[in-house]
Amino acid sequence: MEKFRIAIVDDDYLIVSLLKSFLEQDLQLDVVFETTDGYQLLQHLEAGAEIDVLLLDLKMKTIDGLEVLRHIKVKNFDLKIIVISSHYQDNSVGFMVKEGVSAFIPKGMSPFDLVNVIKQVAVTGFYFKPDQVEALRDQISSRSPKPILESDESISDREIEIIRQLCQQRTAKEIGETLFISQKTVEGHKSRLFAKIGVKNVTGLVVYALQKNIVKLEELPLQ
């Protein structure tokens, strides 16, 4: 059974300790780092720590969550980020996606639902609630053109199919089995797509696919 390494950053020590205790009841989740200080997280990452999913609060005393996001984006650390905030607003979803966030959820979410979100993000790279997709509808231009496939940096038919599969929350292994290619080949395509499109994660690919009409909003699997 695959285990996911989790880090928790929140300025409320009680929330951190309770959340750690709850998450570690699930055998797939291993809380490998927890802190109330964003600086400590950044130092931990700079030291080479391996984290699969970061649970990040926005409002903290020493360094706020937005500053943590900026540092992670600049350093290009390899982890997925779930922002959990009492300052949640639907109209901030687009901004969070731009900052490299894989999921943006309110602190009032059920801890059982949170476990499902963590696993979904760890496996597929993104999580959207239905109302967030509705908010994104207003943030994505309806006049966005279809992909132009003519330059050296164009998106190939195979890459378009991989984008569609990723938007359906399929893993690299599942995509490889569907397209009769290796998981490693899928990961290579995904990395090149990040570079071509200029995004940091699968969430960015999903938004790009919506903007370019590669997928439609109603085609996204939502919970």
Side-chain angles (χ1 to χ4, degrees):
M1 178 176 57
E2 185 177 7
K3 295 197 72 169
F4 305 118
R5 297 161 297 191
I6 312 300
I8 305 171
V9 182
D10 191 297
D11 71 345
D12 189 325
Y13 180 76
L14 180 60
I15 288 179
V16 171
S17 57
L18 290 175
L19 193 52
K20 177 182 178 180
S21 297
F22 181 82
L23 295 180
E24 288 191 330
Q25 294 177 40
D26 192 298
L27 297 179
Q28 274 194 284
L29 305 182
D30 182 16
V31 179
V32 296
F33 183 78
E34 72 276 356
T35 182
T36 59
D37 187 332
Y39 282 120
Q40 289 184 1
L41 169 74
L42 295 175
Q43 291 171 349
H44 193 58
L45 291 172
E46 289 281 5
E50 294 185 347
I51 295 169
D52 296 313
V53 179
L54 166 64
L55 305 183
L56 178 67
D57 188 18
L58 285 183
K59 189 175 181 181
M60 295 185 289
K61 295 173 183 175
T62 57
I63 176 174
D64 66 38
L66 295 178
E67 187 65 24
V68 171
L69 286 175
R70 282 191 285 272
H71 279 283
I72 290 175
K73 187 176 181 181
V74 168
K75 295 289 187 177
N76 201 26
F77 292 121
D78 185 19
L79 75 166
K80 301 176 180 72
I81 305 169
I82 299 174
V83 169
I84 309 175
S85 179
S86 56
H87 299 275
Y88 172 87
Q89 293 177 318
D90 281 344
N91 59 12
S92 297
V93 176
F95 172 83
M96 290 296 170
V97 170
K98 183 179 178 182
E99 292 302 302
V101 171
S102 293
F104 182 38
I105 57 178
K107 270 194 174 178
M109 172 175 278
S110 156
F112 296 99
D113 290 337
L114 175 59
V115 168
N116 292 330
V117 172
I118 292 172
K119 290 181 179 179
Q120 181 171 318
V121 165
V123 172
T124 69
F126 74 97
Y127 168 84
F128 286 129
K129 299 191 289 116
D131 56 327
Q132 289 177 328
V133 173
E134 289 302 316
L136 279 173
R137 188 190 298 273
D138 296 329
Q139 298 172 37
I140 296 173
S141 171
S142 61
R143 298 187 297 274
S144 297
K146 293 183 179 180
I148 299 173
L149 309 177
E150 54 190 27
S151 70
D152 290 338
E153 290 300 302
S154 66
I155 308 301
S156 69
D157 290 343
R158 172 52 57 89
E159 288 172 330
I160 287 176
E161 181 56 32
I162 287 174
I163 292 175
R164 289 194 180 110
Q165 298 269 343
L166 288 169
C167 289
Q168 290 299 315
Q169 298 179 349
R170 294 192 173 94
T171 65
K173 181 181 178 182
E174 291 170 337
I175 294 171
E177 291 172 350
T178 300
L179 301 181
F180 303 104
I181 56 178
S182 70
Q183 180 176 340
K184 185 176 180 180
T185 299
V186 175
E187 294 289 357
H189 278 301
K190 188 164 69 171
S191 296
R192 284 190 292 275
L193 281 167
F194 288 170
K196 282 185 180 182
I197 296 169
V199 297
K200 296 291 185 180
N201 54 22
V202 176
T203 313
L205 277 183
V206 173
V207 173
Y208 173 85
L210 289 168
Q211 289 174 328
K212 300 300 183 181
N213 295 319
I214 294 172
V215 297
K216 297 179 180 179
L217 286 169
E218 55 268 25
E219 293 174 336
L220 293 179
L222 303 174
Q223 296 185 4

